[in-house]
Amino acid sequence: MGKVSLEGIEFHAYHGAYPEESILGNRFTLDLELETNFRQAMLHDDLSATVDYSKLYKLIKARMDVKVKLLEHLGHMIVTDILEAYPKTTKIRLTLKKHHPALGGLVSFSSVQIQYPEDYA
């Protein structure tokens, strides 16, 4: 097994439980690590035998464009999309951060971390 990562992916999106969050939006950062068998890609220099970073980014961006209330739900939907696109993925670790959440005080970010398959048992 090998690991494929995308770190520090940034988006401006409109997720949140409060009405102003769906109007003003916020900055989000996502870190992602996948475990998959990419032995054939190593041996044969074949993109189809591994996770295509470009396709993975587009998949995440498409999901970030769909407004939801909770980071937990958003992270779950991204995990679901990844497993559908890359069914040979055996593990996923996703960290999703919302910068400066509207909490009535100074907070750098709120975040959730989702791990597949651990959080799905």
Side-chain angles (χ1 to χ4, degrees), residues 6 9 16 19 30-31 33-34 36 39 47 64 72 75-76 84 86 93 95 100-104 106 108 110 116 120:
L6 291 178
I9 309 167
L30 190 139
D31 295 326
E33 182 179 279
L34 312 178
T36 188
R39 181 169 170 72
L47 179 59
M64 290 297 293
E72 293 87 346
H76 164 69
E84 185 176 314
Y86 297 102
R93 179 178 296 128
T95 302
H100 306 292
L103 299 176
L106 184 58
S108 294
S110 59
Y116 171 86
Y120 291 80

Side-chain angles (χ1 to χ4, degrees), residues 2-118:
K3 292 183 182 180
V4 174
S5 300
L6 291 178
E7 298 180 24
I9 309 167
E10 292 197 18
F11 298 97
H12 186 86
Y14 299 88
H15 309 295
Y18 302 107
E20 62 272 14
E21 293 177 300
S22 67
I23 296 168
L24 299 173
N26 208 331
R27 184 172 144 220
F28 295 83
T29 303
L30 190 139
D31 295 326
L32 183 65
E33 182 179 279
L34 312 178
E35 285 190 26
T36 188
N37 184 341
F38 56 55
R39 181 169 170 72
Q40 293 304 312
M42 290 184 341
L43 296 173
H44 303 289
D45 196 25
D46 181 6
L47 179 59
S48 69
T50 189
V51 175
D52 181 336
Y53 307 142
S54 176
K55 182 178 175 184
L56 187 59
Y57 176 84
K58 289 175 186 173
L59 178 149
I60 296 166
K61 181 175 180 348
R63 183 55 66 186
M64 290 297 293
D65 288 342
V66 178
K67 291 181 189 180
V68 300
K69 293 178 186 172
L70 302 177
L71 293 179
E72 293 87 346
H73 182 68
L74 178 59
H76 164 69
M77 296 309 297
I78 292 169
V79 167
T80 300
D81 292 344
I82 292 168
L83 291 171
E84 185 176 314
Y86 297 102
K88 293 182 182 177
T89 300
T90 58
K91 289 189 177 187
I92 299 172
R93 179 178 296 128
L94 177 148
T95 302
L96 182 57
K97 299 177 183 178
K98 179 190 281 190
H99 295 259
H100 306 292
L103 299 176
L106 184 58
V107 177
S108 294
F109 59 84
S110 59
S111 70
V112 298
Q113 185 176 79
I114 297 174
Q115 297 185 89
Y116 171 86
E118 293 88 338

